[in-house]
mmCIF file of all heavy atoms in Angstrom:
data_model
loop_
_atom_site.group_PDB
_atom_site.id
_atom_site.type_symbol
_atom_site.label_atom_id
_atom_site.label_comp_id
_atom_site.label_asym_id
_atom_site.label_seq_id
_atom_site.Cartn_x
_atom_site.Cartn_y
_atom_site.Cartn_z
ATOM 1 N N ASN M 40 -0.177 6.297 3.907
ATOM 2 C CA ASN M 40 0.454 5.710 2.751
ATOM 3 C C ASN M 40 1.355 6.736 2.058
ATOM 4 O O ASN M 40 1.180 7.985 2.296
ATOM 5 C CB ASN M 40 -0.622 5.287 1.732
ATOM 6 C CG ASN M 40 -1.458 4.104 2.224
ATOM 7 O OD1 ASN M 40 -0.969 3.042 2.249
ATOM 8 N ND2 ASN M 40 -2.694 4.385 2.622
ATOM 9 N N HIS M 41 2.330 6.275 1.289
ATOM 10 C CA HIS M 41 3.219 7.216 0.651
ATOM 11 C C HIS M 41 2.479 8.247 -0.239
ATOM 12 O O HIS M 41 2.924 9.308 -0.368
ATOM 13 C CB HIS M 41 4.296 6.483 -0.156
ATOM 14 C CG HIS M 41 5.584 7.188 -0.061
ATOM 15 N ND1 HIS M 41 6.593 6.898 0.876
ATOM 16 C CD2 HIS M 41 6.088 8.216 -0.784
ATOM 17 C CE1 HIS M 41 7.583 7.766 0.738
ATOM 18 N NE2 HIS M 41 7.315 8.591 -0.299
ATOM 19 N N TRP M 45 3.217 12.189 -1.093
ATOM 20 C CA TRP M 45 3.303 12.796 -2.410
ATOM 21 C C TRP M 45 2.351 13.972 -2.508
ATOM 22 O O TRP M 45 2.744 15.024 -2.989
ATOM 23 C CB TRP M 45 3.010 11.800 -3.531
ATOM 24 C CG TRP M 45 3.860 10.570 -3.673
ATOM 25 C CD1 TRP M 45 3.458 9.312 -3.814
ATOM 26 C CD2 TRP M 45 5.278 10.512 -3.786
ATOM 27 N NE1 TRP M 45 4.532 8.441 -3.937
ATOM 28 C CE2 TRP M 45 5.699 9.159 -3.974
ATOM 29 C CE3 TRP M 45 6.320 11.509 -3.686
ATOM 30 C CZ2 TRP M 45 7.009 8.712 -4.062
ATOM 31 C CZ3 TRP M 45 7.638 11.082 -3.820
ATOM 32 C CH2 TRP M 45 7.968 9.695 -3.985
ATOM 33 N N LEU M 142 -5.063 -0.159 1.519
ATOM 34 C CA LEU M 142 -4.324 0.226 0.310
ATOM 35 C C LEU M 142 -3.146 -0.615 0.054
ATOM 36 O O LEU M 142 -2.893 -1.190 -1.010
ATOM 37 C CB LEU M 142 -4.006 1.685 0.382
ATOM 38 C CG LEU M 142 -3.560 2.318 -0.935
ATOM 39 C CD1 LEU M 142 -3.856 3.821 -0.963
ATOM 40 C CD2 LEU M 142 -2.059 2.132 -1.180
ATOM 41 N N THR M 146 -2.843 -3.618 -2.884
ATOM 42 C CA THR M 146 -1.771 -3.358 -3.889
ATOM 43 C C THR M 146 -0.861 -4.606 -3.951
ATOM 44 O O THR M 146 -0.496 -5.099 -5.018
ATOM 45 C CB THR M 146 -0.967 -2.107 -3.605
ATOM 46 O OG1 THR M 146 -1.910 -1.038 -3.513
ATOM 47 C CG2 THR M 146 0.015 -1.826 -4.675
ATOM 48 N N THR M 166 11.671 -5.621 -3.191
ATOM 49 C CA THR M 166 12.599 -4.493 -2.917
ATOM 50 C C THR M 166 12.023 -3.496 -1.882
ATOM 51 O O THR M 166 10.828 -3.409 -1.706
ATOM 52 C CB THR M 166 12.902 -3.730 -4.194
ATOM 53 O OG1 THR M 166 11.661 -3.201 -4.723
ATOM 54 C CG2 THR M 166 13.578 -4.615 -5.244
ATOM 55 N N GLY M 167 12.902 -2.820 -1.124
ATOM 56 C CA GLY M 167 12.512 -1.776 -0.194
ATOM 57 C C GLY M 167 11.551 -2.285 0.873
ATOM 58 O O GLY M 167 10.485 -1.758 1.079
ATOM 59 N N ILE M 168 11.984 -3.297 1.665
ATOM 60 C CA ILE M 168 11.058 -4.004 2.525
ATOM 61 C C ILE M 168 10.472 -3.163 3.646
ATOM 62 O O ILE M 168 9.433 -3.591 4.234
ATOM 63 C CB ILE M 168 11.744 -5.328 3.074
ATOM 64 C CG1 ILE M 168 10.701 -6.282 3.562
ATOM 65 C CG2 ILE M 168 12.784 -5.006 4.167
ATOM 66 C CD1 ILE M 168 9.697 -6.744 2.514
ATOM 67 N N GLY M 169 11.106 -2.018 3.903
ATOM 68 C CA GLY M 169 10.537 -1.182 4.960
ATOM 69 C C GLY M 169 9.212 -0.526 4.578
ATOM 70 O O GLY M 169 8.459 -0.084 5.460
ATOM 71 N N GLY M 170 8.776 -0.572 3.317
ATOM 72 C CA GLY M 170 7.583 0.098 2.858
ATOM 73 C C GLY M 170 6.301 -0.667 3.227
ATOM 74 O O GLY M 170 6.386 -1.928 3.453
ATOM 75 N N GLY M 171 5.211 0.021 3.317
ATOM 76 C CA GLY M 171 3.974 -0.600 3.636
ATOM 77 C C GLY M 171 3.502 -1.649 2.645
ATOM 78 O O GLY M 171 3.109 -2.762 3.067
ATOM 79 N N VAL M 172 3.599 -1.372 1.375
ATOM 80 C CA VAL M 172 3.208 -2.326 0.379
ATOM 81 C C VAL M 172 4.173 -3.515 0.400
ATOM 82 O O VAL M 172 3.765 -4.699 0.291
ATOM 83 C CB VAL M 172 3.207 -1.732 -1.059
ATOM 84 C CG1 VAL M 172 2.830 -2.747 -2.120
ATOM 85 C CG2 VAL M 172 2.184 -0.547 -1.078
ATOM 86 N N ALA M 173 5.494 -3.187 0.486
ATOM 87 C CA ALA M 173 6.534 -4.281 0.395
ATOM 88 C C ALA M 173 6.302 -5.267 1.554
ATOM 89 O O ALA M 173 6.416 -6.464 1.384
ATOM 90 C CB ALA M 173 7.921 -3.648 0.488
ATOM 91 N N THR M 190 15.258 -6.565 -0.206
ATOM 92 C CA THR M 190 16.312 -5.548 -0.182
ATOM 93 C C THR M 190 15.831 -4.428 0.744
ATOM 94 O O THR M 190 14.639 -4.236 0.930
ATOM 95 C CB THR M 190 16.695 -4.953 -1.529
ATOM 96 O OG1 THR M 190 15.694 -3.938 -1.888
ATOM 97 C CG2 THR M 190 16.784 -6.008 -2.610
ATOM 98 N N SER M 191 16.772 -3.696 1.311
ATOM 99 C CA SER M 191 16.421 -2.525 2.102
ATOM 100 C C SER M 191 17.613 -1.611 2.232
ATOM 101 O O SER M 191 18.746 -2.009 2.036
ATOM 102 C CB SER M 191 16.003 -3.016 3.568
ATOM 103 O OG SER M 191 15.728 -1.899 4.335
ATOM 104 N N GLY M 192 17.342 -0.351 2.596
ATOM 105 C CA GLY M 192 18.408 0.606 2.894
ATOM 106 C C GLY M 192 19.014 0.315 4.277
ATOM 107 O O GLY M 192 19.991 0.949 4.649
ATOM 108 N N LYS M 196 16.300 -3.456 9.163
ATOM 109 C CA LYS M 196 15.020 -3.841 8.556
ATOM 110 C C LYS M 196 15.112 -5.230 7.919
ATOM 111 O O LYS M 196 14.114 -5.971 7.892
ATOM 112 C CB LYS M 196 14.603 -2.772 7.500
ATOM 113 C CG LYS M 196 14.213 -1.441 8.113
ATOM 114 C CD LYS M 196 13.626 -0.508 7.067
ATOM 115 C CE LYS M 196 13.350 0.878 7.717
ATOM 116 N NZ LYS M 196 12.731 1.801 6.734
ATOM 117 N N HIS M 211 20.258 -2.415 -0.442
ATOM 118 C CA HIS M 211 20.308 -1.849 -1.828
ATOM 119 C C HIS M 211 21.199 -0.613 -1.882
ATOM 120 O O HIS M 211 21.396 -0.038 -2.948
ATOM 121 C CB HIS M 211 18.914 -1.576 -2.450
ATOM 122 C CG HIS M 211 18.031 -0.761 -1.523
ATOM 123 N ND1 HIS M 211 16.745 -1.178 -1.166
ATOM 124 C CD2 HIS M 211 18.237 0.426 -0.895
ATOM 125 C CE1 HIS M 211 16.215 -0.265 -0.379
ATOM 126 N NE2 HIS M 211 17.079 0.715 -0.235
ATOM 127 N N GLY M 234 8.689 -1.510 -5.881
ATOM 128 C CA GLY M 234 7.986 -0.233 -5.771
ATOM 129 C C GLY M 234 8.920 0.926 -5.791
ATOM 130 O O GLY M 234 8.520 2.080 -5.578
ATOM 131 N N ALA M 235 10.221 0.672 -6.093
ATOM 132 C CA ALA M 235 11.216 1.731 -6.040
ATOM 133 C C ALA M 235 11.407 2.399 -7.409
ATOM 134 O O ALA M 235 11.591 3.626 -7.519
ATOM 135 C CB ALA M 235 12.551 1.203 -5.562
ATOM 136 N N THR M 239 16.900 0.687 -9.101
ATOM 137 C CA THR M 239 16.517 -0.618 -8.549
ATOM 138 C C THR M 239 15.761 -1.454 -9.625
ATOM 139 O O THR M 239 16.045 -2.649 -9.750
ATOM 140 C CB THR M 239 15.601 -0.386 -7.319
ATOM 141 O OG1 THR M 239 16.372 0.394 -6.409
ATOM 142 C CG2 THR M 239 15.230 -1.730 -6.616
ATOM 143 N N TYR M 256 4.985 -1.560 -9.073
ATOM 144 C CA TYR M 256 3.782 -0.867 -8.547
ATOM 145 C C TYR M 256 4.120 0.559 -8.059
ATOM 146 O O TYR M 256 3.212 1.264 -7.633
ATOM 147 C CB TYR M 256 3.153 -1.642 -7.431
ATOM 148 C CG TYR M 256 4.014 -1.776 -6.192
ATOM 149 C CD1 TYR M 256 4.005 -0.763 -5.211
ATOM 150 C CD2 TYR M 256 4.910 -2.856 -6.031
ATOM 151 C CE1 TYR M 256 4.814 -0.835 -4.102
ATOM 152 C CE2 TYR M 256 5.692 -2.940 -4.875
ATOM 153 C CZ TYR M 256 5.677 -1.920 -3.947
ATOM 154 O OH TYR M 256 6.523 -1.963 -2.842
ATOM 155 N N GLY M 257 5.373 0.984 -8.112
ATOM 156 C CA GLY M 257 5.705 2.330 -7.567
ATOM 157 C C GLY M 257 6.991 2.793 -8.142
ATOM 158 O O GLY M 257 7.781 2.032 -8.724
ATOM 159 N N ALA M 258 7.249 4.100 -7.869
ATOM 160 C CA ALA M 258 8.510 4.715 -8.386
ATOM 161 C C ALA M 258 9.023 5.668 -7.374
ATOM 162 O O ALA M 258 9.252 6.864 -7.658
ATOM 163 C CB ALA M 258 8.235 5.414 -9.727
ATOM 164 N N THR M 259 9.234 5.182 -6.140
ATOM 165 C CA THR M 259 9.770 6.062 -5.054
ATOM 166 C C THR M 259 11.079 6.717 -5.496
ATOM 167 O O THR M 259 11.361 7.839 -5.125
ATOM 168 C CB THR M 259 9.948 5.220 -3.799
ATOM 169 O OG1 THR M 259 8.715 4.633 -3.453
ATOM 170 C CG2 THR M 259 10.477 6.068 -2.619
ATOM 171 N N CYS M 260 11.907 5.950 -6.248
ATOM 172 C CA CYS M 260 13.189 6.485 -6.683
ATOM 173 C C CYS M 260 13.143 7.122 -8.087
ATOM 174 O O CYS M 260 14.199 7.375 -8.697
ATOM 175 C CB CYS M 260 14.257 5.397 -6.596
ATOM 176 S SG CYS M 260 14.457 4.724 -5.018
ATOM 177 N N SER M 281 1.173 -2.888 -11.997
ATOM 178 C CA SER M 281 0.052 -3.202 -11.097
ATOM 179 C C SER M 281 -0.290 -1.951 -10.269
ATOM 180 O O SER M 281 0.558 -1.279 -9.725
ATOM 181 C CB SER M 281 0.443 -4.361 -10.178
ATOM 182 O OG SER M 281 -0.714 -4.886 -9.605
ATOM 183 N N THR M 282 -1.607 -1.679 -10.183
ATOM 184 C CA THR M 282 -2.051 -0.552 -9.370
ATOM 185 C C THR M 282 -3.275 -0.963 -8.594
ATOM 186 O O THR M 282 -4.232 -1.555 -9.189
ATOM 187 C CB THR M 282 -2.370 0.717 -10.261
ATOM 188 O OG1 THR M 282 -1.161 1.309 -10.599
ATOM 189 C CG2 THR M 282 -3.282 1.669 -9.576
ATOM 190 N N MET M 283 -3.227 -0.690 -7.293
ATOM 191 C CA MET M 283 -4.359 -0.940 -6.411
ATOM 192 C C MET M 283 -5.011 -2.277 -6.696
ATOM 193 O O MET M 283 -4.261 -3.290 -6.902
ATOM 194 C CB MET M 283 -5.404 0.152 -6.498
ATOM 195 C CG MET M 283 -4.841 1.533 -6.070
ATOM 196 S SD MET M 283 -4.458 1.622 -4.301
ATOM 197 C CE MET M 283 -6.075 1.533 -3.601
ATOM 198 N N ILE M 320 7.173 9.024 8.493
ATOM 199 C CA ILE M 320 7.211 8.443 7.093
ATOM 200 C C ILE M 320 8.189 9.213 6.263
ATOM 201 O O ILE M 320 8.829 8.682 5.425
ATOM 202 C CB ILE M 320 5.782 8.410 6.471
ATOM 203 C CG1 ILE M 320 5.691 7.308 5.347
ATOM 204 C CG2 ILE M 320 5.272 9.662 5.945
ATOM 205 C CD1 ILE M 320 4.325 7.000 4.846
ATOM 206 N N GLY M 323 11.718 7.845 6.607
ATOM 207 C CA GLY M 323 12.007 6.553 6.061
ATOM 208 C C GLY M 323 12.449 5.540 7.050
ATOM 209 O O GLY M 323 12.888 4.460 6.703
ATOM 210 N N GLN M 325 10.538 3.960 9.139
ATOM 211 C CA GLN M 325 9.444 3.061 9.528
ATOM 212 C C GLN M 325 9.675 1.642 8.993
ATOM 213 O O GLN M 325 10.345 1.458 7.984
ATOM 214 C CB GLN M 325 8.097 3.572 9.039
ATOM 215 C CG GLN M 325 7.801 3.377 7.575
ATOM 216 C CD GLN M 325 8.405 4.396 6.651
ATOM 217 O OE1 GLN M 325 9.253 5.190 7.012
ATOM 218 N NE2 GLN M 325 8.034 4.356 5.371
HETATM 219 N N1 NAP Z 7 0.446 1.549 -7.862
HETATM 220 C C1 NAP Z 7 -0.189 1.504 -6.729
HETATM 221 O O1 NAP Z 7 -1.361 1.174 -6.629
HETATM 222 C C2 NAP Z 7 0.543 1.908 -5.475
HETATM 223 C C3 NAP Z 7 -0.011 1.631 -4.255
HETATM 224 C C4 NAP Z 7 0.663 1.955 -3.096
HETATM 225 C C5 NAP Z 7 1.930 2.565 -3.188
HETATM 226 N N2 NAP Z 7 2.445 2.863 -4.458
HETATM 227 C C6 NAP Z 7 3.734 3.488 -4.564
HETATM 228 O O2 NAP Z 7 4.650 2.523 -4.085
HETATM 229 C C7 NAP Z 7 5.695 3.130 -3.385
HETATM 230 C C8 NAP Z 7 5.810 2.614 -1.979
HETATM 231 O O3 NAP Z 7 4.629 2.978 -1.293
HETATM 232 P P1 NAP Z 7 4.422 2.729 0.295
HETATM 233 O O4 NAP Z 7 3.227 3.379 0.721
HETATM 234 O O5 NAP Z 7 4.644 1.257 0.538
HETATM 235 O O6 NAP Z 7 5.701 3.557 0.762
HETATM 236 P P2 NAP Z 7 6.428 3.664 2.195
HETATM 237 O O7 NAP Z 7 5.732 2.822 3.196
HETATM 238 O O8 NAP Z 7 6.672 5.122 2.416
HETATM 239 O O9 NAP Z 7 7.851 3.008 1.807
HETATM 240 C C9 NAP Z 7 8.711 3.466 0.820
HETATM 241 C C10 NAP Z 7 9.873 2.513 0.810
HETATM 242 O O10 NAP Z 7 10.670 2.748 -0.371
HETATM 243 C C11 NAP Z 7 11.865 2.061 -0.136
HETATM 244 N N3 NAP Z 7 13.029 2.516 -0.868
HETATM 245 C C12 NAP Z 7 13.615 3.699 -0.723
HETATM 246 N N4 NAP Z 7 14.699 3.760 -1.520
HETATM 247 C C13 NAP Z 7 14.796 2.543 -2.149
HETATM 248 C C14 NAP Z 7 15.672 1.947 -3.134
HETATM 249 N N5 NAP Z 7 16.754 2.641 -3.585
HETATM 250 N N6 NAP Z 7 15.412 0.690 -3.592
HETATM 251 C C15 NAP Z 7 14.374 0.022 -3.103
HETATM 252 N N7 NAP Z 7 13.514 0.519 -2.202
HETATM 253 C C16 NAP Z 7 13.679 1.755 -1.715
HETATM 254 C C17 NAP Z 7 12.156 2.125 1.377
HETATM 255 O O11 NAP Z 7 12.502 0.834 1.774
HETATM 256 P P3 NAP Z 7 13.600 0.550 2.937
HETATM 257 O O12 NAP Z 7 13.132 1.384 4.085
HETATM 258 O O13 NAP Z 7 13.549 -0.892 3.187
HETATM 259 O O14 NAP Z 7 14.924 0.998 2.403
HETATM 260 C C18 NAP Z 7 10.890 2.625 1.954
HETATM 261 O O15 NAP Z 7 10.454 1.911 3.079
HETATM 262 C C19 NAP Z 7 5.446 4.648 -3.462
HETATM 263 O O16 NAP Z 7 6.171 5.168 -4.551
HETATM 264 C C20 NAP Z 7 3.942 4.699 -3.680
HETATM 265 O O17 NAP Z 7 3.572 5.896 -4.355
HETATM 266 C C21 NAP Z 7 1.764 2.520 -5.551
#
Side-chain angles (χ1 to χ4, degrees):
N40 290 289
H41 215 94
W45 297 132
L142 192 152
T146 304
T166 60
I168 198 60
V172 178
T190 79
S191 178
K196 291 186 185 185
H211 51 233
T239 303
Y256 66 86
T259 303
C260 301
S281 196
T282 281
M283 299 293 291
I320 202 169
Q325 79 277 11

